[in-house]
C-alpha cells in the first residue's frame, strides 16, 4: 500500500489521540518505531495490524474506524491532486471520474500503487452506483472517502450498501444519492437495504 495511506493514518491517530497513542499502536502492532514515507510502499499488513491495535485500544469497530479514516483522508487527497479536478465538479462528478481521472493517474505516477478498482455508474442526476473490488476489502474506507468528498463540496449524500465482500459477495455494491437541501435524508429504518443509509 502507498505510504501516503500509512502517513495519513499516523496523522489521523495523532490528530485524535496524540503522539503517545500512535507510538502505543506501533508497539502493539509489532512495528517498533517504524516511520512511513509518502514516497514508499509498505505492506498492507502494517495497516491491518495498526487498525486491529486501534480497535483494541478504543473498543471501536474496525469498519467504523476505517470509515472515519476515509473521511479524514479527503482534504489532503484533494489538495494533493487538485490539478486533476475540474472546477465545475461537485460530489457525484468527482466520484464518477475517480477511476478514469484520478486513480489512473495515481497508478501512472507510481506503478507500484494499487488503488481500489472502482466502477461508478451515473444512474441519474442525483445518484451514482459504485462497484468496489479490492482484495483489501476496504469498502469502509471507500464509504468514508465518499462522505469526505460530500463534506468538501458541502453537499449531503446517503450511502446504501447493498452487497459487501465481508458478507461473501464478489464485490461491494453501493448506491450514493445526493440529497437536495429541500429533501430530508432517508431515515435509517426506511433504508431499502440491510445496511443503513448514512447521511454525510
Ligand atoms: C481526490 C481523489 C482521490 C485520490 C487522490 C485518491 C488516491 C488514492 C491513493 C494514492 C490510494 C493508495 C493506493 C495504494 O495504496 O496503492 C488510494 C486508495 C484507495 N482509494 Fe482512492 N483516491 C481518491 C478518491 C477515491 C474515492 C472517491 C474513492 C471511493 C469512493 C476511493 C477509494 C479508495 C480506496 C478504498 C483505497 C484503498 C485501497 C483499496 O481499497 O484497495 N478513492 N486512493
Amino acid at each position: 500500500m502507498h505510504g501516503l495511506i500509512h502517513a495519513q493514518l499516523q496523522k489521523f491517530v495523532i490528530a485524535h489521540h496524540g503522539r503517545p497513542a500512535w507510538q502505543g499502536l506501533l508497539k502493539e502492532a509489532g512495528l517498533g518505531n517504524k516511520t512511513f514515507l509518502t514516497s514508499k510502499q509498505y505492506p498492507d499488513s502494517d495497516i491491518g495490524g495498526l487498525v486491529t491495535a486501534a480497535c483494541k485500544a478504543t473498543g471501536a469497530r474496525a469498519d467504523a474506524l476505517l470509515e472515519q479514516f476515509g473521511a479524514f483522508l479527503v482534504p489532503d487527497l484533494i489538495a494533493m491532486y487538485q490539478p486533476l479536478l475540474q472546477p465545475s465538479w461537485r460530489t457525484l462528478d468527482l466520484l464518477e471520474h475517480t477511476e478514469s481521472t484520478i486513480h489512473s493517474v495515481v497508478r501512472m505516477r507510481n506503478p507500484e500503487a494499487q488503488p481500489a478498482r472502482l466502477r461508478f455508474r451515473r444512474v441519474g442526476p442525483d445518484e451514482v452506483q459504485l462497484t468496489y473490488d479490492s482484495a483489501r476489502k476496504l469498502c469502509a474506507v471507500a464509504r468514508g472517502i465518499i462522505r469526505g468528498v460530500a463534506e468538501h463540496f458541502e453537499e449531503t449524500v446517503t450511502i446504501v450498501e447493498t452487497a459487501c465482500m465481508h458478507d461473501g459477495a464478489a464485490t461491494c455494491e453501493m448506491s450514493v444519492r445526493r440529497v437536495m437541501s429541500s429533501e430530508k435524508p432517508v431515515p435509517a429504518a426506511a433504508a431499502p437495504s440491510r445496511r443503513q443509509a448514512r447521511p454525510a
Side-chain angles (χ1 to χ4, degrees):
M1 179 102 71
H2 203 299
L4 170 65
I5 304 295
H6 298 73
Q8 284 286 324
L9 186 62
Q10 170 173 346
K11 188 174 168 188
F12 173 71
V13 173
I14 292 175
H16 287 92
H17 303 285
R19 189 167 289 277
W22 172 249
Q23 286 159 343
L25 292 189
L26 281 174
K27 261 199 193 73
E28 175 70 26
L31 297 172
N33 289 319
K34 194 163 179 174
T35 51
F36 297 110
L37 303 176
T38 55
S39 54
K40 296 219 156 135
Q41 300 283 321
Y42 298 94
D44 290 359
S45 55
D46 286 0
I47 294 280
L50 288 163
V51 170
T52 304
C55 291
K56 199 169 152 193
T58 61
R61 288 168 48 121
D63 60 348
L65 286 180
L66 287 168
E67 193 166 330
Q68 275 177 33
F69 173 55
F72 179 86
L73 279 170
V74 171
D76 282 355
L77 284 182
I78 287 189
M80 275 183 262
Y81 290 82
Q82 186 76 48
L84 300 178
L85 275 52
Q86 296 293 327
S88 61
W89 285 356
R90 309 289 289 163
T91 307
L92 300 189
D93 310 306
L94 186 147
L95 297 182
E96 211 183 339
H97 290 93
T98 298
E99 201 53 32
S100 59
T101 312
I102 303 169
H103 276 179
S104 58
V105 173
V106 170
R107 289 190 193 93
M108 209 169 61
R109 287 186 187 162
N110 182 347
E112 285 180 81
Q114 296 173 328
R117 288 180 296 278
L118 308 169
R119 284 195 301 280
F120 278 105
R121 294 169 304 283
R122 191 81 176 233
V123 294
D126 295 318
E127 187 174 356
V128 292
Q129 279 174 4
L130 166 64
T131 300
Y132 165 90
D133 178 12
S134 167
R136 293 172 179 143
K137 299 188 183 176
L138 290 173
C139 56
V141 173
R143 284 197 304 272
I145 292 179
I146 294 168
R147 280 203 304 113
V149 170
E151 275 159 29
H152 171 80
F153 289 108
E154 298 182 352
E155 292 187 312
T156 302
V157 293
T158 55
I159 305 170
V160 177
E161 196 165 355
T162 52
C164 184
M165 296 171 90
H166 290 284
D167 297 336
T171 53
C172 299
E173 305 288 335
M174 45 188 112
S175 150
V176 183
R177 201 167 74 79
R178 175 171 45 206
V179 180
M180 305 315 280
S181 46
S182 55
E183 285 180 73
K184 285 202 172 131
V186 180
S193 90
R194 61 180 174 66
R195 280 176 193 260
Q196 85 179 37
R198 299 172 176 86

